[in-house]
Amino acid sequence: MQRIHFSSADLARIRLRTSAGPLVETAFAAVLLGRGVGAPYAGWRRQVSKRLPPPRPGQGPGAGADELVRRAVEYGGTTDGTPSGPAASASARDTTPAGPSHGPELPDIWRAAVAPYWDKVLEYLEADCEARGRAVMAGGVEQLLSTAHPRITWTSPVLEIPGGPDGDVVLGGRGLVLTPSVFLNHRPGQLIWPQDGSGRPTLVVSAPPRAHEAAVLWAEPDETTEALGALVGQTRAAALRVLRAACTTSELADRLGISPAGASQHAAVLRRTGLITSRRVRNSMLHSVSPLGLALLDGRPARPANGPRGVRREPLARAAVLPAV
């Protein structure tokens, strides 16, 4: 039983985040692939097995659950890690022990088991966060903690999490980031500390889909989604979809589950290729998808240069050579 002790300063510094990031979710997916899955994940497992052979008994991604998460945090980041997201695949591969006794590595699992569903996973996690935000509005932070997960117990000022390491954790005024996970299934919650020891730790809580939600999450990815991901990279494709509704760099980072620096870099590349527009509003940059970006999202041709809006085709040609991330 892990016991997290909160001070009044910690309670004041609790915040919600959409996701712990694509590589952390990939680490949880790797653990899930090595275990038995219930009905909510049956469709996912069936589809993934076509792209990635299931590990044989005694095989796995080459590390235990905690080690996989540590590796994902180190190379993917849950707060300000660099590089962010699946761009770190080469580094993550370098840290995975080689040899026949080990199964698929994190980059392979990301491509086969997480990337095809990432957009829908983000939508699901965002809806979960909105529900938790309504809990805060209705009953304050204590209701947020008491409803984090059916197996997580809040007895002020201590949050008890079964199924993980035994011990007491004192936050020391740092506060806590609470974020849901689709693929965390082997325990109700997992506490992750920033690599440099500063900043807020992240408590990832298990949020498995219900039957009707699973049917939507694991629907076979359509050709447009796969083509867009291959063209600009899965993270930037997700950013384009998020930016159908304008948002700031920090909001984009939260919705994608990447660092603000990573979100800024992705936005800069998308802006240079004409797929989004950005404007400064006070101290923030507000981003939104451009007409060319909308054409790419919808799988339709952009307007010709002499059309009513004068959208040029050249940026789309440049977009085709973006490095996949």
Side-chain angles (χ1 to χ4, degrees), residues 106-152:
L106 283 182
D108 303 316
I109 294 171
W110 155 257
R111 286 189 290 269
V114 180
Y117 312 100
W118 187 240
D119 293 344
K120 293 176 183 177
V121 164
L122 282 177
E123 290 177 5
Y124 172 83
L125 295 176
E126 188 162 314
D128 184 279
C129 274
E130 289 175 357
R132 295 176 192 273
R134 290 193 292 272
V136 175
M137 293 175 65
V141 171
E142 296 219 353
Q143 182 162 331
L144 172 68
L145 295 174
S146 64
T147 59
H149 187 277
R151 293 177 57 203
I152 295 177

Side-chain angles (χ1 to χ4, degrees), residues 186-210:
H186 63 285
R187 62 177 67 161
Q190 180 151 348
L191 187 64
I192 303 174
W193 287 87
Q195 284 295 295
D196 60 4
S198 63
R200 294 184 181 95
T202 298
L203 176 61
V204 186
V205 294
S206 176
R210 290 168 290 190

Side-chain angles (χ1 to χ4, degrees), residues 5 21 26 124 155 157 171 192 198 230 234 274:
H5 296 258
T26 300
Y124 172 83
T155 306
L171 296 175
I192 303 174
S198 63
Q234 293 291 346

Side-chain angles (χ1 to χ4, degrees), residues 269-309:
V269 174
L270 292 171
R271 182 169 58 252
R272 287 198 299 270
T273 54
L275 298 178
I276 69 169
T277 60
S278 304
R279 60 188 177 90
R280 183 166 293 280
V281 178
R282 296 188 177 88
N283 295 325
S284 300
M285 289 294 290
L286 188 67
H287 312 285
S288 59
V289 67
S290 69
L292 179 65
L294 283 173
L296 191 61
L297 283 171
D298 296 338
R300 57 182 170 80
R303 293 177 182 271
N306 59 353
R309 296 189 184 181

Side-chain angles (χ1 to χ4, degrees), residues 84 248-250 252-253 256 258-272 276 278 285 287:
S84 63
T248 65
T249 303
S250 60
L252 179 62
L256 294 179
I258 62 177
S259 69
S264 179
Q265 291 170 2
H266 288 309
V269 174
L270 292 171
R271 182 169 58 252
R272 287 198 299 270
I276 69 169
S278 304
M285 289 294 290
H287 312 285

Side-chain angles (χ1 to χ4, degrees), residues 62-258:
D66 291 339
E67 171 61 18
L68 280 172
V69 172
R70 183 204 63 77
R71 187 181 305 158
V73 172
E74 181 177 353
Y75 291 98
T78 57
T79 52
D80 297 319
T82 303
S84 63
S89 60
S91 298
R93 187 183 299 277
D94 290 342
T95 67
T96 304
S101 63
H102 298 289
E105 298 165 347
L106 283 182
D108 303 316
I109 294 171
W110 155 257
R111 286 189 290 269
V114 180
Y117 312 100
W118 187 240
D119 293 344
K120 293 176 183 177
V121 164
L122 282 177
E123 290 177 5
Y124 172 83
L125 295 176
E126 188 162 314
D128 184 279
C129 274
E130 289 175 357
R132 295 176 192 273
R134 290 193 292 272
V136 175
M137 293 175 65
V141 171
E142 296 219 353
Q143 182 162 331
L144 172 68
L145 295 174
S146 64
T147 59
H149 187 277
R151 293 177 57 203
I152 295 177
T153 303
W154 168 249
T155 306
S156 183
V158 179
L159 192 69
E160 295 182 337
I161 307 172
D166 186 39
D168 292 272
V169 176
V170 178
L171 296 175
R174 296 179 182 87
L176 186 75
V177 175
L178 184 71
T179 182
S181 167
V182 169
F183 294 108
L184 174 60
N185 194 248
H186 63 285
R187 62 177 67 161
Q190 180 151 348
L191 187 64
I192 303 174
W193 287 87
Q195 284 295 295
D196 60 4
S198 63
R200 294 184 181 95
T202 298
L203 176 61
V204 186
V205 294
S206 176
R210 290 168 290 190
H212 67 281
E213 294 164 332
V216 174
L217 275 177
W218 316 135
E220 289 281 1
D222 59 40
E223 292 181 1
T224 301
T225 298
E226 292 185 341
L228 181 59
L231 182 69
V232 301
Q234 293 291 346
T235 306
R236 290 183 190 132
L240 276 179
R241 291 188 176 88
V242 166
L243 291 174
R244 283 184 184 271
C247 66
T248 65
T249 303
S250 60
E251 290 170 338
L252 179 62
D254 276 348
R255 293 174 188 177
L256 294 179
I258 62 177

